[in-house]
């Protein structure tokens, strides 16, 4: 997908006529992050362990949010008295609402689940239940779809089937 930009030529003999130029709507970093988010969702859907499923789904959402930041964020102005000097780094979930306010509730939701992801990644027993993992997988899938639309990428249907198949006794 490309975006056409009209610019006037300033070159001698250009007569100020519009010169069409094309550019991708965003950088490769954002596109790579979206692709990695999709891979994480596929991994989450294919694993049977609740902790691994939860961690992979949360990581997919994290990468999708990072893609929004990569595509839409502007560097902070440097200079005396500006910025957050001395306040330490901020995480993606804190930064996302400032760049995409329409995703603020999603940022709060996934930010609130970051501790569970860390516990699941550490292998703590009982860190998450299978139901929590399945719910987060579905939410991450919806979030990735919303992010894709926000970034002007093709919408992909949410996952269907794999989550239900992972829950024992579900049909």
């Amino acid at each position: 997908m490309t975006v056409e930009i009209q610019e006037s030529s300033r070159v001698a003999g250009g007569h100020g006529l519009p010169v069409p130029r094309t550019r991708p709507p965003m950088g490769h970093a954002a596109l790579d992050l979206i692709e990695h988010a999709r891979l994480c969702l596929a991994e989450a859907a294919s694993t049977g362990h609740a902790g691994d499923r939860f961690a992979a789904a949360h990581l997919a959402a994290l990468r999708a949010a990072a893609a929004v930041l990569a595509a839409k964020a502007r560097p902070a102005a440097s200079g005396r008295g500006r910025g957050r000097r001395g306040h330490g780094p901020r995480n993606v979930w804190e930064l996302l609402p400032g760049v995409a306010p329409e995703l603020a509730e999603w940022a709060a939701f996934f930010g609130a689940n970051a501790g569970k992801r860390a516990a699941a990644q550490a292998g703590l027993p009982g860190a998450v239940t299978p139901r929590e993992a399945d719910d987060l997988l579905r939410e991450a899938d919806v979030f990735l779809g919303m992010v894709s639309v926000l970034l002007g990428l093709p919408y992909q249907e949410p996952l269907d089937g794999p989550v239900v198949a992972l829950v024992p006794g579900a049909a």
Side-chain angles (χ1 to χ4, degrees):
M1 181 170 147
T2 59
V3 177
E4 194 168 296
I5 301 171
Q6 297 287 327
E7 285 188 355
S8 295
S9 173
R10 303 227 188 268
V11 178
H15 304 292
L17 297 175
V19 177
R21 260 190 359 177
T22 58
R23 67 169 171 81
M26 70 192 78
H28 292 286
L31 295 172
D32 287 347
L33 286 163
I34 291 294
E35 181 60 27
H36 285 121
R38 288 183 176 140
L39 292 172
C40 284
L41 273 181
E43 177 186 334
S46 67
T47 187
H49 185 266
D52 293 340
R53 191 163 57 254
F54 190 95
H58 196 275
L59 184 57
L62 185 64
R63 287 182 171 164
V68 174
L69 294 178
K72 295 185 169 283
R74 299 291 173 249
S78 61
R80 197 158 214 183
R82 296 184 193 170
R84 300 183 71 245
R85 191 178 359 198
H87 293 269
R90 293 172 64 190
N91 70 40
V92 168
W93 304 120
E94 293 172 344
L95 295 171
L96 187 62
V99 173
E102 63 271 33
L103 299 177
E105 287 185 45
W106 286 100
F109 171 75
F110 287 113
N113 282 293
K116 280 190 178 191
R117 185 198 78 227
Q121 284 178 313
L124 297 178
V128 296
T129 66
R131 171 72 184 259
E132 289 172 318
D134 293 343
D135 289 347
L136 191 79
L137 175 56
R138 281 188 291 273
E139 295 298 331
D141 193 19
V142 171
F143 179 67
L144 178 56
M146 291 182 69
V147 165
S148 295
V149 170
L150 177 71
L151 296 179
L153 300 172
Y155 175 76
Q156 289 193 340
E157 289 292 323
L159 297 171
D160 56 330
V163 175
V164 174
L166 292 173
V167 179

